[in-house]
Amino acid sequence: MGEMNRKNIQQLFSCEPGCEVVVKGWVRTKRGNKNVSFIALNDGSTIKNMQIVCDGAKFNEEFLKDISTGACLCVKGRLVESMGAGQNVEVQADEIEIYGKADPADYPLQKKGHSMEFLREIAHLRMRTNTFGCVMRIRNAMAFAIHKYFNEHGFYYLHTPLITESDCEGAGEMFQVTTMDLKNIPLTEDKKEVDFSTDFFGKQTALTVSGQLEGELGATALGKIYTFGPTFRAENSNTPRHLAEFWMIEPEMAFYDITDNMELAEDFIKYLVQYALDNCAEDLQFLNDMFDKGLIERMKGVVATTFERVTYTQAIDILTASGEKFEFPVHWGTDLQSEHERFLVEKHFNKPVILTDFPKEIKAFYMKQNDDGKTVRGMDVLFPKIGEIIGGSEREASYEKIMSRIEELKMDTSNLWWYLDTRRWGTCPHSGFGLGFERLLLFVTGMQNIRDVIPFPRTPKNAEF
Ligand code: 4AD
Ligand code: MG
């Protein structure tokens, strides 16, 4: 039987007892005595282990000694009804091949509970734990659900470049991309500037912070597109919610105004949460029981509720009238800090909040300008425990207005000419947003730290594995 036809442990649990089976996986635990040993084997297909029963008459003690936590096995045997509590079937082993041993003297993932900090140091092994198995399976399910949602709603998946010349968010948080010899950087004739004309692309380039600008080109041709890929931010924030490399989902829609944009964001995120509830029940139950007793309830709550829509100005009024002592004081014009966002979501409204109409000074150049001359049609979706999960806006469609903002900000337009062409020819009302994939995963796994919902986190001073 070829590997493609072999059933994994998840599938074996719904098989009738009696059949011959081959099970391959990694040992979680082994216990027993001279007469019989029980091995809990996991292959990653489910949180549940398959119990392998080894009759002492068939396997000698010397051989069984090499089977310890972390070892990889191929077991041939028979699926039988289980007498023990906790599982309906188990495997009565006839033959065991040890693919790879794991010496208990140095294998770091022994049975005892490890701290999340320690597991980050052994991120190359942590997917072998129950917790990270759950998180990675949920991550996979969410990625699939994202493509499914957009595919069912008439969006095209657009691949935007990772290497770019333009800083979409204008925050100057880009990682440079260069093939220049850093020990011998070529300078211009007056020795005042770096001569990028000799660099690989003949100009200064960086890793993208967002696929939005190219996404807008797609939307103004294909109608509705989305991107889903890695983005990079060289922001030096060591927080449980920031990564230097994170995945972002960015839908961009022609003819959507800010209200359509809000409706899509709410529908999309509810669909994803419901998808997790429907398709990841066992993993969610484990995470709920182990880490976050309110996880499943919070997820159901979000699906059932209507998100509160509030303008930035209203939010500032609520915050100043609240009498709360904030670490960062609030007044009109300042960017909201996570403590303010969480106050609004967790204490004041007790549900997700969509904030709109921010002061133009704290938002990017591309947002549609309101008639008041002060605010722009941005939207942030704020979630319990997380704060901002989505950032987006209606886009400024008028060439004159976007140019005047660009001039106010003294932005260099030499590498944005192609973007401005959308406003020159066939411009249209359009909107979009970016959902931080790992922020979504924080919400649907209940994990506390964003480093624990991506296999190999990149953060300041940390790029191992
Ligand atoms: O609010 P941001 O910066 O918006 C944009 O990049 C827009 N161009 C998106 C668009 O309109 N197409 O980022 C969008 C989302 C945030 O709401 C947050 O969820 C996530 O991306 N995000 C991060 N996630 C992890 N680590 C970081 N350093 C993040 N920065 C933003
Ligand atoms: Mg934002």
Side-chain angles (χ1 to χ4, degrees):
M1 182 185 63
E3 269 301 291
M4 283 187 65
N5 299 316
R6 189 174 61 79
K7 289 195 168 68
N8 63 28
I9 289 176
Q10 159 91 327
Q11 293 165 320
L12 288 179
F13 275 120
S14 46
C15 286
E16 284 299 312
C19 53
E20 299 295 317
V21 293
V22 180
V23 198
K24 302 184 182 186
W26 292 266
V27 175
R28 285 296 168 80
T29 56
K30 190 186 74 179
R31 64 187 172 84
N33 52 42
K34 267 204 175 76
N35 301 325
V36 59
S37 298
F38 300 98
I39 300 165
L41 203 67
N42 190 283
D43 67 358
S45 61
T46 160
I47 177 93
K48 290 194 289 190
N49 302 322
M50 183 58 83
Q51 172 151 284
I52 311 291
V53 185
C54 310
D55 192 334
K58 273 189 212 152
F59 301 95
N60 70 47
E61 251 181 285
E62 267 314 293
F63 175 78
L64 289 173
K65 250 191 208 155
D66 283 340
I67 300 181
S68 55
T69 298
C72 186
L73 308 182
C74 170
V75 180
K76 291 184 182 154
R78 209 154 42 85
L79 197 68
V80 296
E81 229 169 284
S82 177
M83 297 302 159
Q87 67 270 325
N88 54 341
V89 288
E90 61 192 19
V91 171
Q92 197 77 49
D94 291 323
E95 276 174 54
I96 297 180
E97 182 185 344
I98 302 177
Y99 280 148
K101 299 186 226 176
D103 188 344
D106 54 18
Y107 184 60
L109 272 182
Q110 297 303 326
K111 200 185 156 193
K112 63 180 192 305
H114 299 290
S115 74
M116 298 305 263
E117 288 77 14
F118 173 70
L119 291 174
R120 265 171 236 148
E121 286 167 21
I122 53 162
H124 60 309
L125 298 171
R126 67 179 179 170
M127 285 186 276
R128 295 184 185 187
T129 63
N130 282 335
T131 301
F132 285 91
C134 286
V135 170
M136 291 309 139
R137 280 187 295 272
I138 294 172
R139 188 178 166 105
N140 169 72
M142 288 295 89
F144 179 77
I146 285 160
H147 288 300
K148 187 166 149 62
Y149 180 89
F150 286 127
N151 192 255
E152 287 169 0
H153 288 79
F155 285 70
Y156 298 106
Y157 181 25
L158 187 76
H159 297 108
T160 50
L162 299 189
I163 300 174
T164 175
E165 278 184 83
S166 48
D167 182 358
C168 173
E169 295 305 299
E173 291 168 339
M174 301 183 90
F175 289 101
Q176 274 197 52
V177 172
T178 179
T179 53
M180 287 193 296
D181 177 0
L182 296 184
K183 290 199 199 101
N184 183 20
I185 296 172
L187 297 178
T188 51
E189 250 166 57
D190 60 7
K191 305 275 176 220
K192 282 191 179 141
E193 307 279 342
V194 176
D195 181 9
F196 285 104
S197 69
T198 64
D199 202 356
F200 188 91
F201 294 106
K203 41 182 74 158
Q204 190 173 14
T205 53
L207 295 177
T208 189
V209 298
S210 160
Q212 177 194 324
L213 301 186
E214 292 89 352
E216 287 185 50
L217 307 181
T220 52
L222 297 164
K224 296 193 284 188
I225 64 90
Y226 70 104
T227 70
F228 183 7
T231 48
F232 308 87
R233 305 239 171 138
E235 55 189 327
N236 199 4
S237 12
N238 245 314
T239 82
R241 302 180 312 123
H242 288 88
L243 289 166
E245 176 179 303
F246 64 98
W247 286 63
M248 185 151 54
I249 301 100
E250 296 183 273
E252 192 72 33
M253 300 74 64
F255 316 120
Y256 271 48
D257 67 12
I258 186 74
T259 308
D260 301 315
N261 205 20
M262 286 193 271
E263 273 165 22
L264 177 71
E266 183 168 342
D267 188 60
F268 176 49
I269 213 158
K270 283 179 173 173
Y271 175 92
L272 297 178
V273 174
Q274 186 61 51
Y275 188 92
L277 288 168
D278 293 343
N279 293 277
C280 308
E282 278 176 356
D283 290 332
L284 287 176
Q285 196 62 55
F286 175 84
L287 296 172
N288 189 90
D289 296 346
M290 289 296 287
F291 295 100
D292 181 352
K293 298 276 188 288
L295 173 65
I296 292 177
E297 210 181 306
R298 213 163 40 245
M299 288 171 67
K300 288 184 176 163
V302 158
V303 175
T305 192
T306 303
F307 297 5
E308 193 72 34
R309 298 178 187 186
V310 190
T311 67
Y312 168 91
T313 304
Q314 289 168 328
I316 293 289
D317 290 345
I318 292 166
L319 290 166
T320 45
S322 71
E324 280 276 317
K325 281 255 173 309
F326 293 114
E327 191 188 335
F328 299 93
V330 273
H331 56 84
W332 203 95
T334 53
D335 212 351
L336 294 188
Q337 301 293 322
S338 137
E339 54 171 345
H340 309 130
E341 296 173 345
R342 293 189 59 172
F343 175 84
L344 291 170
V345 173
E346 289 163 31
K347 290 205 178 140
H348 189 80
F349 290 111
N350 202 21
K351 53 155 87 168
V353 173
I354 311 184
L355 278 185
T356 58
D357 302 288
F358 300 86
K360 62 179 179 183
E361 285 77 16
I362 60 170
K363 290 291 178 189
F365 77 99
Y366 51 71
M367 294 194 182
K368 183 173 172 68
Q369 297 157 30
N370 284 323
D371 293 339
D372 63 10
K374 289 193 298 190
T375 58
V376 289
R377 221 162 277 181
M379 91 181 186
D380 280 0
V381 180
L382 312 180
F383 253 51
K385 295 227 165 190
I386 299 180
E388 182 188 331
I389 195 165
I390 281 179
S393 77
E394 183 169 343
R395 316 307 188 190
E396 181 52 70
S398 145
Y399 181 81
E400 288 71 32
K401 283 192 178 170
I402 205 165
M403 278 312 292
S404 78
R405 187 69 189 129
I406 282 173
E407 278 154 24
E408 261 173 37
L409 291 166
K410 301 195 172 60
M411 285 170 62
D412 176 12
T413 51
S414 61
N415 54 23
L416 274 183
W417 62 271
W418 47 271
Y419 178 75
L420 295 167
D421 275 356
T422 56
R423 285 21 178 205
R424 205 190 296 263
W425 298 307
T427 190
C428 66
H430 63 290
S431 298
F433 61 81
L435 167 67
F437 189 45
E438 286 76 19
R439 299 258 176 105
L440 168 77
L441 287 169
L442 283 176
F443 184 73
V444 294
T445 62
M447 292 287 105
Q448 301 282 328
N449 194 310
I450 201 160
R451 292 165 180 80
D452 300 328
V453 295
I454 187 166
F456 305 105
R458 281 2 182 184
T459 50
K461 302 280 179 285
N462 175 34
E464 203 161 33
F465 308 108

